[in-house]
Amino acid sequence: MSRLPGSNPSGQPDPVSDNDVAGHFSAWQEDGFDAVRCPIRNVLDVIGDKWSTLTLMSLAGKPRRFSDLHRVIPDISKRMLTQTLRGLEREGLVTRHVFPTKPPSVEYRLSPLGRSVLVPLGGLIEWADARFDEIVAARRRFDIAEVGAVDVKRAGRT
């Protein structure tokens, strides 16, 4: 079973996985690239935003009601949480269960398809956690270089 690039326990890129990823991309291009049918674009459109990822991870441990999800993800607006849940439900990743109480109570759960995304999503989360300091340092170096380049241009020295 191949791993995603960068998931090698040594921290070094896994050349087999790199080749696998490059091979998949080349095959898609050879088949005639179609942005509408591109699996990567389609999947990342759904799970690539922070709210979808946080919502999926919040539902990983147990089903939750809307108010519980809102407490677990406090910086999401109610409107955005509603949109996110509807989008995840549309994609088949989350199921909505209405209970016949007064008022009706609603619970959200990961579907089997939603559960299947937890392993690759967890890998990305682990990678981000392990590499976060490196990413922050790279951003800082880039921003310092960009600000320096802008200052040079402003001074008329291009």
Side-chain angles (χ1 to χ4, degrees):
M1 184 165 133
S2 66
R3 295 181 304 269
L4 291 174
S7 65
N8 186 320
S10 70
Q12 297 300 313
D14 185 352
V16 174
S17 293
D18 290 350
N19 290 336
D20 288 347
V21 170
H24 282 299
F25 187 72
S26 294
W28 290 330
Q29 289 177 318
E30 289 170 12
D31 288 343
F33 178 76
D34 179 0
V36 174
R37 292 183 32 225
C38 177
I40 298 302
R41 287 180 185 217
N42 274 276
V43 170
L44 288 179
D45 279 348
V46 176
I47 64 168
D49 69 272
K50 67 180 174 184
W51 301 126
S52 292
T53 301
L54 290 171
T55 302
L56 290 168
M57 296 313 291
S58 297
L59 291 170
K62 65 180 183 178
R64 295 182 185 268
R65 293 179 59 176
F66 184 91
S67 58
D68 189 23
L69 280 167
H70 196 251
R71 272 191 298 279
V72 174
I73 313 168
D75 51 337
I76 190 172
S77 70
K78 289 181 179 181
R79 180 173 183 258
M80 183 54 66
L81 180 56
T82 299
Q83 288 177 340
T84 300
L85 287 166
R86 289 180 58 82
L88 293 171
E89 185 180 4
R90 177 179 181 261
E91 299 296 330
L93 300 172
V94 168
T95 57
R96 182 178 185 265
H97 301 271
V98 180
F99 297 97
T101 58
K102 295 219 181 202
S105 60
V106 178
E107 186 178 81
Y108 296 91
R109 303 175 187 166
L110 289 179
S111 68
L113 185 62
R115 289 218 163 275
S116 74
V117 78
L118 293 178
V119 171
L121 195 55
L124 178 60
I125 291 167
E126 287 176 16
W127 176 86
D129 190 42
R131 302 291 192 200
F132 187 67
D133 290 341
E134 291 175 63
I135 293 167
V136 169
R139 286 178 188 161
R140 192 175 303 116
R141 286 190 304 272
F142 180 87
D143 292 346
I144 289 168
E146 285 295 304
V147 169
V150 168
D151 288 344
V152 169
K153 286 180 184 176
R154 282 188 190 142
R157 296 174 274 157
T158 55

